[in-house]
Amino acid sequence: MSRRRATVDHIIHQKTDRELLDAIQLVYKMHDDNEVFSKYHDQKETPEYKAILLVLNNHEFIALGIRRRAFAETIYKELQCSNFLKVWNSSAGIVEELRKSSGRETLFQEFEWLAKRWKENPLKKH
């Protein structure tokens, strides 16, 4: 029950955090415009890079919470699966660039783990 409550609380927080909502909206627009996220790798002061990083960090937090069982995976997946995978598909390139430039292969590894997991086991139609 506490896992469910934590999941719902976090989703409510996501829906009320204006900075995060603006960043997500920008990332989705970039995705819809078929922008290559990795082109922002060397443009750290741009609003686009900052939005990408904020969204990546948020998704990493969620994925880690799910992996460590602090959040209820089923609830989050049913509510956010397509959006979560859209962000991963768009940002995989910049994640690779960030890993290379920092020498840290573990950057956003939880996000990647969960995206792969959900791709292999998509939502089922009821």
Side-chain angles (χ1 to χ4, degrees):
M1 188 58 123
S2 63
R3 206 177 9 238
R4 288 181 184 158
R5 184 70 210 164
T7 305
V8 171
D9 286 347
H10 186 69
I11 291 169
I12 290 169
H13 170 73
Q14 286 180 306
K15 301 293 183 194
T16 59
D17 182 333
R18 176 56 34 209
E19 183 181 13
L20 180 59
L21 288 171
D22 290 345
I24 289 169
Q25 184 177 37
L26 179 56
V27 166
Y28 287 171
K29 182 181 181 327
M30 292 166 60
H31 170 82
D32 292 342
D33 293 344
N34 294 314
E35 287 203 46
V36 178
F37 286 26
S38 60
K39 78 179 187 183
Y40 293 102
H41 172 256
D42 293 328
Q43 301 176 28
K44 294 183 175 27
E45 296 305 315
T46 64
E48 291 84 359
Y49 178 84
K50 291 176 182 178
I52 292 166
L53 209 55
L54 181 61
V55 173
L56 286 174
N57 282 320
N58 178 67
H59 284 55
E60 179 74 358
F61 174 78
I62 292 161
L64 180 61
I66 288 171
R67 187 172 200 143
R68 298 291 179 234
R69 302 184 51 119
F71 295 139
E73 181 175 1
T74 304
I75 292 171
Y76 199 84
K77 183 177 181 182
E78 289 177 3
L79 290 169
Q80 294 292 324
C81 184
S82 61
N83 292 330
F84 196 87
L85 293 178
K86 177 173 32 173
V87 172
W88 176 255
N89 292 335
S90 297
S91 61
I94 197 168
V95 168
E96 275 305 308
E97 292 293 327
L98 291 167
R99 287 174 178 170
K100 284 180 197 171
S101 67
S102 69
R104 295 174 50 211
E105 289 299 311
T106 58
L107 286 177
F108 305 110
Q109 70 180 1
E110 303 301 330
F111 183 19
E112 180 179 21
W113 163 80
L114 190 57
K116 287 180 178 179
R117 176 180 169 98
W118 287 358
K119 279 181 188 178
E120 292 170 4
N121 186 20
L123 284 174
K124 308 256 187 289
K125 185 177 178 180
H126 294 297

